[in-house]
Amino acid sequence: MMAPRPHDLLFLHALERFEPAGAWPAWLDAAWHARAPLVVRREAVADGRVPAGARGRTRSERCKGYVQAASVARIVTPEMLARQAGTGDPAMPALQVLAALAPRLDELGVAWGPAGGAGFQLACGLPVLRADSDLDLLVRSPAPLATATLEQLLRMQADAAVRVDIQVDTGTGGFALADYARGGRVLVKTAHGPVLVSDPWHQAVAA
């Protein structure tokens, strides 16, 4: 099995293998936890555990924690979920926009996929999206994106019927495409915490 990366979704062999960082939240009941995957977080962990988080029905229902790598039965990546664009609840605006953008994203030749609520709902079918939900997209790019690719991604983001948040993952950190487009230093989320850098591809590790 491949090593889990941030934004990947984890389905476990046994529900009790999730270890919350604090008390077990009341909203994370057995029925929900049986269907809901965990989301891989960014955190440096050296004891064989995977940093992960549980999410519930609402934005306020979030719980960070850990899971042993051996407890992971299946990993679903955003790239896998990209192949499901056009499925799911057709009434959800975020999924409508995802279906419309998918062919254009495929044409760019980048590794991409839905994350956030859209990815979660496509992966497990649990209804977490609302009519006003954003569409979170992940683009994995270990090398700097070409200027033309950046311009097309920004155009997709600006023209969409819902708010689209594109996160770029370099392999050592992740940043918002909109922040990078504004110029100046960019906030990059790394496993050791957030850092401000001028070049998110070449300075994230050193910072």
Side-chain angles (χ1 to χ4, degrees), residues 141-201:
S141 180
L145 292 164
T147 300
T149 301
L150 285 168
E151 290 174 348
Q152 292 185 62
L153 288 171
L154 290 168
R155 191 173 302 117
M156 293 181 204
Q157 197 170 40
D159 295 344
V162 302
R163 183 179 183 276
V164 176
D165 179 16
I166 298 178
Q167 294 286 319
V168 180
D169 190 304
T170 68
T172 57
F175 63 93
L177 182 69
D179 290 347
Y180 180 75
R182 282 194 286 267
R185 295 202 295 172
V186 182
L187 182 68
V188 178
K189 298 176 182 177
T190 77
H192 301 281
V195 294
L196 276 172
V197 298
S198 300
D199 185 335
W201 280 278

Side-chain angles (χ1 to χ4, degrees), residues 7 14 30 51 56 60-62 73 80 91 99-100 133 140 145 147 168 181 187:
H7 300 283
S60 63
E61 294 177 341
R62 300 287 188 274
M80 293 175 184
S133 290
R140 296 199 203 266
L145 292 164
T147 300
V168 180
L187 182 68

Side-chain angles (χ1 to χ4, degrees), residues 9 76-85 98 112-114 118-120 122-123:
L9 300 174
V76 176
T77 69
E79 293 92 329
M80 293 175 184
L81 294 171
R83 298 195 289 269
Q84 293 181 225
L98 174 62
W112 74 277
F120 183 92
L122 286 173

Side-chain angles (χ1 to χ4, degrees), residues 36-141:
L38 302 175
V39 185
V40 179
R41 302 183 293 107
R42 292 188 192 278
E43 183 181 337
V45 180
D47 58 1
R49 296 182 299 170
V50 179
R55 67 176 294 162
R57 297 164 180 80
T58 67
R59 187 170 298 180
S60 63
E61 294 177 341
R62 300 287 188 274
C63 176
K64 73 175 185 177
Y66 307 89
V67 64
Q68 295 292 336
S71 298
V72 177
R74 182 164 58 99
I75 299 175
V76 176
T77 69
E79 293 92 329
M80 293 175 184
L81 294 171
R83 298 195 289 269
Q84 293 181 225
T87 65
D89 186 350
M92 283 295 117
L95 295 181
Q96 293 172 7
V97 171
L98 174 62
L101 291 181
R104 298 170 62 187
L105 288 160
D106 287 339
E107 288 176 2
L108 291 180
V110 295
W112 74 277
F120 183 92
Q121 186 161 319
L122 286 173
C124 66
L126 291 170
V128 297
L129 290 174
R130 306 179 308 276
D132 61 347
S133 290
D134 299 343
L135 173 61
D136 295 308
L137 295 176
L138 179 72
V139 172
R140 296 199 203 266
S141 180

